[in-house]
Amino acid sequence: MTRLTLEQKAALVVGNGYWTTASAPGIPPIVMGDGPHGLRTQRETADNLGIGASLPATCYPPAVGLGSSWNRSLTERVARAIADEAIEQGVDLVLGPGVNIKRSPLCGRNFEYFSEDPYVSGQLGAAWVRGAQSLGVGASVKHFAANNQETARMTVSAEVDDRTLREIYLPAFEHIVRTEKPATVMCSYNRVNGVAAAENYWLLTELLREEWGFDGLVLSDWGAVDNAVPALEAGLDLEMPGPQRDSRDAILAAVRSGELDESVLDRAVARLSSLVEHVHSRGHRGDHLSLAERQRLARDAAIESIVLLRNERGLLPLRPGTRVAVIGEFARTPRFQGAGSSQVNPTNVEAALPAMEQLADVTFSPGYYLDERDNTSLIEDAVRSARDADVAVLFIGLPPMEESEGFDRDHLDLPADQLALIAAVAAATANTVVVLSNGGVVTVEPWHDSVASIVEGWLLGQAGGPAVADVLFGVAAPSGRLAESIPFRLQDNPSYLNFPGENDVVRYGEGVFVGYRYYESAEVAVRYPFGFGLGYTDFEFSDLVATRSSASVRVTNTGDRAGSHVVQLYVAPAPSHVSRPRRELKGFEKVTLGPGESAVVDFVLDSRSFAYWDTLTGGWLVPGGQYSVEIGHNARDIALRADVRLPAPPPRRLSLDSRVSELIEHPVTGPVLSFAMRRAENANELGGNLFDMVATVPVRRLLRFPGVGEQMRQLPLLLSLANNPVIRAVASWFGKRRRP
Ligand code: BGC
């Protein structure tokens, strides 16, 4: 480090191109490429909005699809294949995965994120990092943190309370950092509780490094830095893109004037230099997958991303010899990825129509125009072909201009011309199948009940067309599960009144009650719950056994076809005074079974599976009591429950600031205080309500009331006895004997 001049060091931390870092003696540059569902490597042109051309690369299903696969090993394979292409294209660091939570279905970038649930996001994000880094290519976990909307994304402050951050918006990052050692973390554009992520010392240093042990490099999202010096001090190591000469000059001036300690700059340079060393010492030359192997993987990933939502009368899979009217421009011109920085220049896009033509007797009518011209005559054609066929398969979805990075939607509706098409075709035949293409959730109202089958195809990447055909004709069974709830109405979503905020502030007013955590707790009906998905066979659960550290359950394929199911483990909390979601996902496993086969699935649980973030102590807390470990087909359909009783944690130190309820629950003060309160109730004929009246009153205040201080003269002594661990242990032992 000392070998480098101050100028060289300052130049290193401000980038040197759209996709490259600067170099210095002994520190060559590294090359970055966008991800996360395929590479966007730019050579001549450069931009972060997906406008300029990039090298051709395989486009895998975006995270909205992969997230619905609930398949860790598949996600790992996809990321490894992306890294393989990165090696081929000379890219050292891939900018993914994106693990932000889908707080609102309106977020324009939801297609790039896995789930509304932090456990799913963390598990799949970790698998992604594992896959990419297994080839020695660096990953960049983004966007850290609370970047859950596109509206005003560069300026908005996400106002999120501590508990909500810890339980919902941070765990995916935390899990990945702790388990996978990602090479880099990308800080987000937005502010978090008023402080820009790029300048947020708490976020980038106290939490990320000191608490979670991150030892990689933090880079900025593209253009996220306003003030280079405070950013460096907060823990940012690299500003991108570069070269940011203003930032470099500001850093130089700050070091020279003594405002910035040079060691802070050295620290960032050291992190950059270890990243460079790490990616350049990559032993691996890549897997050299062929184009055909990549296409096959893209197709397999797409198959697992598809979620079958509805299948009345077992219309799907379509039988051989079925005459099919394929309707909808998306069958011919697929929508397979989202717009913005993640946009891949695909190597080989395959539409559904030719794939279906190979499997059945097919007619095609476009049904609507992608530029939303009047489609009346196209609807007439479509209805005619639907009448002449056994089954109508409608390809419906959001046109590309309706959702993208950079802006949010303001409704969940499909375009009116497509709704008219569905209504007309559904009126003409009872055998209507709707295949959806959309990056964010769309409402399936009001047409839901008028069609027999609904296939949620999300965005499936370049091989999505044949994947849809495989599922429609039963060449493959659908096995995707919703990683986000589908509400009846936008208004039902818990963030509805607080999205996207105003005047550059968005308040996360729903707290921890995001997605199904709200729908389940408030018993709000949804069209399809989190975790939902059908297949072509049925599964049953039995023999659930659960303890505080593990659970196991048997799953049996009771149908007559092979298929996969996602066994979902939820924990329902013990009753406590803290408002907690009715259930939260704490484990999942995807299993594939032949007809009649069964398997035992094991889960590992730990204290975090039961904990909430306690704002009083600033730590995770597991209140004692009876929890329920639940095995469900989805968040609403719980098949089995097992009770797990957990002991109460050691009581907190008591003081005059403790609340009466804490004293009552304490093994030393509890019996004494209960006795005194019963006496007071009897004497004053309070009807047994005294405890409820004073439960939340701090002791110090209680003592202020006339007479009480007198009667409780011994309280300070009692409190110090209660804080003595030996006395507490003896009292607990007696307490347990009294109440076996
Ligand atoms: C996006 C990042 C992306 C970067 C580089 C930004 O606009 O938010 O996700 O990696 O551009 O293209």
Side-chain angles (χ1 to χ4, degrees):
M1 199 73 50
T2 41
R3 288 177 290 111
L4 300 179
T5 65
L6 180 60
E7 289 73 13
Q8 284 169 326
K9 290 189 281 192
L12 277 172
V13 298
V14 296
N16 188 34
Y18 227 85
W19 306 107
T20 48
T21 55
S23 57
I27 308 183
I30 58 170
V31 179
M32 310 179 194
D34 247 316
H37 56 267
L39 269 191
R40 189 168 72 95
T41 314
Q42 291 187 315
R43 288 274 156 78
E44 282 84 37
T45 55
D47 68 275
N48 62 328
L49 294 173
I51 299 165
S54 55
L55 300 182
T58 318
C59 179
Y60 296 94
V64 62
L66 265 189
S68 310
S69 78
W70 295 60
N71 188 333
R72 298 177 184 87
S73 59
L74 174 74
T75 306
E76 201 175 322
R77 272 166 58 217
V78 167
R80 185 175 167 110
I82 292 171
D84 183 44
E85 250 170 320
I87 293 175
E88 237 169 63
Q89 298 189 2
V91 170
D92 305 304
L93 184 72
V94 181
L95 304 177
V99 296
N100 296 97
I101 294 294
K102 305 192 198 206
R103 174 176 175 245
S104 162
L106 297 176
C107 173
R109 226 173 165 181
N110 274 358
F111 73 90
E112 258 186 272
Y113 302 141
F114 291 111
S115 179
E116 70 187 23
D117 177 84
Y119 185 79
V120 173
S121 308
Q123 292 293 311
L124 297 184
W128 199 100
V129 172
R130 206 154 55 235
Q133 297 200 159
S134 66
L135 287 188
V137 170
S140 192
V141 189
K142 63 190 190 182
H143 309 85
F144 191 56
N147 180 183
N148 310 96
Q149 65 185 56
E150 292 300 285
T151 306
R153 66 171 166 160
M154 302 232 176
T155 48
V156 74
S157 175
E159 305 283 318
V160 205
D161 65 80
D162 275 359
R163 182 175 160 215
T164 302
L165 275 174
R166 293 288 188 159
E167 291 184 30
I168 304 292
Y169 296 99
L170 296 174
F173 292 100
E174 180 184 2
H175 174 73
I176 298 168
V177 164
R178 286 191 194 271
T179 60
E180 303 302 332
K181 287 183 149 287
T184 71
V185 165
M186 184 193 289
C187 78
S188 56
Y189 285 125
N190 53 289
R191 293 178 290 145
V192 182
N193 291 324
V195 184
E199 294 175 30
N200 201 313
Y201 184 79
W202 173 74
L203 199 63
L204 303 187
T205 297
E206 290 182 354
L207 184 74
L208 182 64
R209 295 188 185 279
E210 293 171 5
E211 209 181 304
W212 299 348
F214 179 68
D215 63 0
L217 171 132
V218 177
L219 76 164
S220 73
D221 199 344
W222 267 229
V225 178
D226 280 334
N227 307 296
V229 174
L232 213 53
E233 284 177 317
L236 184 87
D237 303 306
L238 174 64
E239 182 178 351
M240 286 299 291
Q244 297 291 342
R245 298 203 171 87
D246 290 353
S247 295
R248 182 201 57 196
D249 293 347
I251 292 167
L252 285 174
V255 173
R256 284 179 185 134
S257 71
E259 182 204 331
L260 177 69
D261 196 326
E262 194 168 348
S263 65
V264 175
L265 176 61
D266 289 347
R267 191 179 63 189
V269 172
R271 288 176 189 148
L272 177 67
S273 126
S274 20
L275 173 69
V276 170
E277 213 177 290
H278 175 75
V279 295
H280 284 181
S281 63
R282 179 178 56 229
H284 222 291
R285 300 254 162 116
D287 294 332
H288 304 296
L289 297 183
S290 66
L291 279 178
E293 283 169 323
R294 287 175 182 152
Q295 194 73 6
R296 184 66 240 181
L297 177 58
R299 181 162 166 174
D300 289 343
I303 288 170
E304 289 213 35
S305 304
I306 293 169
V307 186
L308 179 61
L309 294 176
R310 179 174 167 86
N311 196 16
E312 295 300 287
R313 296 173 275 112
L315 181 61
L316 295 178
L318 300 175
R319 319 288 182 270
T322 311
R323 290 172 307 146
V324 186
V326 176
I327 299 165
E329 187 57 49
F330 282 143
R332 178 169 68 177
T333 315
R335 171 123 196 274
F336 58 95
Q337 66 172 332
S341 62
S342 67
Q343 197 162 319
V344 174
N345 175 10
T347 51
N348 176 16
V349 180
E350 292 182 281
L353 182 58
M356 291 177 74
E357 281 167 345
Q358 283 177 13
L359 294 165
D361 176 10
V362 162
T363 60
F364 174 72
S365 40
Y368 53 87
Y369 298 101
L370 285 180
D371 56 10
E372 296 182 31
R373 269 173 288 156
D374 177 73
N375 64 337
T376 313
S377 67
L378 296 188
I379 291 181
E380 286 162 10
D381 289 348
V383 167
R384 262 194 301 278
S385 67
R387 285 214 179 97
D388 291 343
D390 302 318
V391 174
V393 180
L394 276 168
F395 285 78
I396 294 295
L398 288 179
M401 55 281 205
E402 292 218 6
E403 53 176 351
S404 162
E405 175 178 343
F407 62 86
D408 299 314
R409 284 180 298 161
D410 58 9
H411 62 79
L412 299 181
D413 301 330
L414 287 163
D417 55 346
Q418 295 192 33
L419 291 176
L421 175 68
I422 300 176
V425 172
T429 168
N431 292 340
T432 301
V433 178
V434 169
V435 178
L436 292 169
S437 300
N438 48 306
V441 161
V442 292
T443 163
V444 291
E445 317 307 326
W447 49 271
H448 178 274
D449 294 352
S450 70
V451 304
S453 301
I454 304 177
V455 176
E456 178 49 275
W458 303 119
L459 304 176
L460 293 175
Q462 67 182 41
V468 168
D470 287 347
V471 165
L472 290 175
F473 287 92
V475 177
S479 66
R481 300 290 181 263
L482 292 179
E484 54 199 300
S485 318
I486 302 185
F488 278 105
R489 312 174 312 156
L490 173 63
Q491 292 89 320
D492 296 335
N493 181 269
S495 72
Y496 177 65
L497 294 175
N498 284 304
F499 185 95
E502 59 259 318
N503 300 331
D504 272 347
V505 171
V506 54
R507 210 168 58 82
Y508 287 32
E510 69 286 357
V512 298
F513 294 94
V514 173
Y516 74 90
R517 284 171 167 73
Y518 167 73
Y519 298 124
E520 294 311 305
S521 307
E523 295 183 4
V524 171
V526 290
R527 176 50 91 178
Y528 289 108
F530 173 83
F532 182 87
L534 302 172
Y536 293 150
T537 183
D538 294 312
F539 291 91
E540 272 175 19
F541 300 130
S542 58
D543 308 335
L544 170 63
V545 181
T547 68
R548 67 168 77 173
S549 56
S550 68
S552 74
V553 66
R554 178 172 291 280
V555 51
T556 306
N557 179 347
T558 55
D560 53 9
R561 296 175 67 108
S564 304
H565 196 31
V566 178
V567 187
Q568 300 166 35
L569 183 149
Y570 295 88
V571 170
S576 79
H577 66 283
V578 173
S579 171
R580 299 183 68 178
R582 183 171 186 173
R583 65 177 54 96
E584 297 184 87
L585 186 81
K586 298 295 171 181
F588 67 82
E589 287 302 330
K590 192 168 196 175
V591 284
T592 303
L593 295 170
E597 261 176 28
S598 81
V600 172
V601 177
D602 296 314
F603 296 95
V604 174
L605 302 173
D606 59 19
S607 67
R608 279 286 285 274
S609 315
F610 301 93
Y612 74 91
W613 180 261
D614 179 33
T615 47
L616 289 176
T617 54
W620 295 100
L621 188 76
V622 182
Q626 187 156 306
Y627 292 74
S628 186
V629 169
E630 305 178 327
I631 297 294
H633 296 285
N634 57 63
R636 185 140 292 185
D637 183 1
I638 300 301
L640 298 174
R641 290 187 171 81
D643 289 339
V644 174
R645 179 163 273 287
L646 297 182
R652 292 200 298 140
R653 264 189 88 71
L654 295 181
S655 71
L656 291 179
D657 292 321
S658 303
R659 284 154 200 267
V660 171
S661 58
E662 286 179 75
L663 268 62
I664 292 281
E665 283 158 18
H666 195 283
V668 175
T669 50
V672 181
L673 211 66
S674 304
F675 177 72
M677 284 169 83
R678 266 199 307 276
R679 270 205 350 202
E681 278 170 1
N682 290 341
N684 300 323
E685 293 175 346
L686 280 167
N689 279 338
L690 185 57
F691 173 71
D692 288 345
M693 287 162 67
V694 297
T696 57
V697 176
V699 174
R700 188 188 297 287
R701 295 279 185 88
L702 195 67
L703 296 180
R704 288 241 170 87
F705 288 93
V708 179
E710 272 299 292
Q711 280 174 20
M712 300 182 97
R713 266 192 319 274
Q714 306 299 342
L715 196 66
L717 175 66
L718 190 62
L719 293 185
S720 60
L721 289 177
N723 288 334
N724 179 312
V726 178
I727 296 177
R728 202 172 62 213
V730 173
S732 305
W733 186 79
F734 271 113
K736 276 195 200 113
R737 274 177 55 104
R738 268 204 310 275
R739 290 175 271 110

